[in-house]
């Protein structure tokens, strides 16, 4: 059994920031602790996109270099057909239930992230999304989403 921790944009963006700030230092220590415990920390492509586009907009070159480093340090999870198929099912389901996680014409990165989480690993593996907004991701059945600060 493997333990996968997928980083959502909140913790990944925080990790890209300059050390020396208490929340950033806590995030870096958390990542190191998870690695030492044998967890597989994963950078989903949709999360990389969300963080990268904002850093490019802000011209935050140092943070972009840090993001590139994380994409080398940790496994990078490309978006594949089965993840997109599952994301489309999630997207339709939350809309039918009246609890969407994005606007009606939005791409809905949360649904794509949930699709990536739902299709990662093998039976028996533990897949958790580390986030700052577990409420949105909890709308997708079978997705274990937790505030990153509570994952040990």
């Amino acid at each position: 059994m493997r333990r996968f921790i997928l980083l959502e944009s909140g913790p990944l963006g925080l990790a890209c920031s300059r050390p020396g700030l208490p929340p950033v230092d806590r995030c870096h220590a958390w990542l190191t602790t998870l690695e030492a415990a044998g967890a597989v920390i994963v950078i989903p492509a949709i999360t990389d996109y969300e963080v990268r586009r904002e850093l490019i907009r802000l011209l935050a070159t140092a943070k972009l270099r840090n993001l590139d480093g994380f994409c080398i340090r940790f496994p990078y999870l490309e978006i594949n057909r089965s993840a997109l198929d599952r994301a489309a099912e999630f997207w339709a389901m939350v809309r039918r239930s009246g609890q969407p996680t994005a606007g009606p014409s939005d791409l809905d990165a949360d649904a794509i992230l949930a699709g990536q989480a739902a299709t990662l690993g093998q039976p028996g593996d533990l897949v958790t999304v580390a986030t700052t907004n577990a409420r949105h991701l909890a709308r997708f059945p079978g997705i274990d989403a937790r505030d990153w600060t509570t994952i040990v």
Side-chain angles (χ1 to χ4, degrees):
M1 178 179 94
R2 294 176 295 174
R3 180 177 186 206
F4 294 98
I5 308 292
L6 280 71
L7 299 182
E8 184 258 349
S9 59
L12 181 58
L14 187 60
C16 292
S17 296
R18 178 180 47 85
L21 301 170
V24 175
D25 292 344
R26 277 194 301 276
C27 188
H28 288 180
W30 172 74
L31 290 169
T32 301
T33 300
L34 287 174
E35 276 184 298
V40 180
I41 299 165
V42 179
I43 308 294
I46 191 65
T47 301
D48 174 55
Y49 165 76
E50 285 188 296
V51 172
R52 186 174 301 279
R53 70 183 181 187
E54 184 62 14
L55 296 179
I56 290 170
R57 184 185 72 79
L58 294 172
L59 302 173
T61 55
K63 290 180 181 182
L64 279 165
R65 280 192 302 275
N66 292 341
L67 178 58
D68 289 339
F70 283 116
C71 290
I72 292 168
R73 177 178 170 188
F74 301 122
Y76 190 88
L77 181 60
E78 298 287 351
I79 300 172
N80 62 29
R81 174 68 186 262
S82 82
L84 284 177
D85 288 350
R86 191 70 178 116
E89 292 169 7
F90 282 145
W91 183 91
M93 183 196 61
V94 296
R95 283 197 168 31
R96 282 192 307 265
S97 73
Q99 296 184 341
T101 57
S105 61
D106 292 342
L107 187 60
D108 198 345
D110 286 339
I112 295 171
L113 177 57
Q116 286 190 281
T119 56
L120 180 64
Q122 303 296 320
D125 288 342
L126 178 61
V127 178
T128 303
V129 178
T131 181
T132 55
N133 189 359
R135 186 176 49 86
H136 270 189
L137 290 162
R139 295 176 188 173
F140 304 110
I143 301 303
D144 179 21
R146 302 181 197 179
D147 186 283
W148 72 271
T149 61
T150 67
I151 299 170
V152 292

